[in-house]
Amino acid sequence: MTRWLTEAVPRGRVAAFRTLIYLFVAADLVIFTPWVRTRVSVPGDLYRPLLIGRLLPLPTPTETLVTVIFWALLLLALLAATGRAPRLLGWAVCALYLEWMIIAMSYGKVDHDRFGLLVALAVLPTAGRARHGDTTRTEAGGWALRVTQIAVICTYFLAAFAKLRFGGLDWLTGSVLARAIIRRGTDLADLIAQVPYLLIVAQFGIVAFELLSPVVFFLPPRWRLAMVGFFYSFHAVTIATITISFAPHLAAMTSFLPLERVRPLVWVRRLVGRDTPAPATGVAPTDPTDVDPVPPDQTPVGADAERALDDQAPAVGRPVGP
């Protein structure tokens, strides 16, 4: 189990995941949760902090406190996305975003789609330094990604557990989706609702897929990526029908993907380079930034591993799977 938890991954994947997560935190402040700043207009008597807020304890939000957290978190998240000072900036972003979420969720409603993101912010500082495009492998980075993956899957599995615990079998056969469509449904949802018993079938399907989500860890690489693709398609349908996005959860779920292959800056440079005429010597111009240096004490991943669909192949001598 320890070997599975620390399965080595390319440092480039850790760097890409880190950049994506911290950029999402910055976007979350200004796109998805700017309403948290309005909490200062709510009477302090209505502030009921979560358990962690009572244990620390944390102060009742004030306009000054929320404003300072907002601007400090926005600045630090953008700096952390560059990959510099990963531990110092990482821990700072984790602490500030946790407080931001405690303020957001201490007025009666707690969203479960941020669990994976919070776990990612907590473990990324432990991954150490990582450069985009670096193919050398790191167990510390592998542990950070694996723990985030577990949190993502726990979000699904525990959601099904909560449905059955509090709703019982009535959640499966009741009008849960029908009520959601009435409250916030789209035209597409209205069309689906007209099909007899389709919503009941969908409710059974949702619980089944959430309960079976841990299977993703036992699948071969190709099928694992296919199942993660199904997860994303499920949320695409959810957005298209009842306008629930689960954006933080989707960001954390990229921990399953070979993100080191996504290098937009390199693609842009190559695209621009195609329009640059070759020198008279006939030697094609090269971009030294396309290849990142490899530390002398590290061994680069082989060509076969680069071509594999699942770049989370274990280090030599380590078994695949839990």
Side-chain angles (χ1 to χ4, degrees):
M1 176 62 90
T2 301
R3 293 181 177 181
W4 178 73
L5 285 173
T6 59
E7 189 175 329
V9 300
R11 292 181 185 273
R13 178 177 306 178
V14 178
F17 182 68
R18 172 182 289 148
T19 297
L20 187 150
I21 289 298
Y22 290 136
L23 287 179
F24 178 83
V25 169
D28 185 49
L29 294 175
V30 298
I31 298 176
F32 299 107
T33 60
W35 48 266
V36 176
R37 302 182 69 180
T38 65
R39 290 291 188 255
V40 298
S41 61
V42 178
D45 294 341
L46 298 179
Y47 177 67
R48 295 291 185 270
L50 302 175
L51 176 61
I52 186 173
R54 299 194 300 271
L55 293 177
L56 289 179
L58 297 174
T60 301
T62 63
E63 183 175 0
T64 300
L65 176 64
V66 173
T67 301
V68 169
I69 292 175
F70 175 85
W71 288 109
L73 182 55
L74 182 61
L75 175 61
L76 292 176
L78 292 175
L79 290 175
T82 66
R84 299 187 182 277
R87 291 180 176 84
L88 176 63
L89 293 176
W91 289 123
V93 171
C94 178
L96 288 173
Y97 190 77
L98 177 61
E99 170 62 359
W100 185 257
M101 285 294 98
I102 291 174
I103 295 173
M105 307 300 168
S106 294
Y107 291 87
K109 180 178 181 292
V110 179
D111 296 330
H112 68 285
D113 63 339
R114 297 179 180 273
F115 177 59
L117 178 64
L118 287 168
V119 170
L121 292 175
V123 297
L124 272 175
T126 69
R129 294 186 177 276
R131 294 187 59 185
H132 289 271
D134 191 348
T135 57
T136 57
R137 293 182 177 268
T138 166
E139 291 186 351
W143 180 82
L145 291 181
R146 183 68 80 198
V147 171
T148 303
Q149 293 170 2
I150 293 173
V152 168
I153 298 304
C154 283
T155 301
Y156 288 130
F157 187 83
L158 295 178
F161 177 77
K163 290 179 178 68
L164 296 177
R165 176 187 177 188
F166 297 105
L169 295 179
D170 290 339
W171 197 98
L172 300 172
T173 59
S175 57
V176 177
L177 290 181
R179 289 197 300 269
I181 291 174
I182 293 173
R183 289 179 54 215
R184 53 192 305 166
T186 64
D187 292 338
L188 175 61
D190 292 337
L191 292 175
I192 294 175
Q194 296 176 16
V195 180
Y197 302 107
L198 182 57
L199 296 183
I200 300 297
V201 173
Q203 289 169 185
F204 273 92
I206 289 172
V207 172
F209 123 73
E210 289 177 337
L211 290 176
L212 294 175
S213 58
V215 172
V216 71
F217 292 121
F218 301 93
L219 295 176
R222 187 182 299 273
W223 288 102
R224 184 183 308 160
L225 288 179
M227 189 168 184
V228 173
F230 170 76
F231 292 163
Y232 276 105
S233 66
F234 166 78
H235 290 286
V237 173
T238 302
I239 295 172
T241 53
I242 54 178
T243 61
I244 298 178
S245 69
F246 281 85
H249 178 80
L250 299 182
M253 195 157 59
T254 58
S255 57
F256 282 98
L257 305 179
L259 294 177
E260 69 276 14
R261 298 180 180 181
V262 183
R263 303 191 65 192
L265 292 179
V266 173
W267 296 344
V268 170
R269 289 168 184 165
R270 288 176 178 171
L271 183 63
V272 173
R274 291 176 183 175
D275 298 330
T276 303
T281 57
V283 179
T286 58
D287 185 354
T289 60
D290 284 358
V291 181
D292 291 329
V294 178
D297 59 339
Q298 300 287 346
T299 302
V301 180
D304 292 339
E306 283 294 304
R307 289 191 294 266
L309 280 177
D310 177 33
D311 289 325
Q312 293 192 23
V316 177
R318 296 189 171 183
V320 177

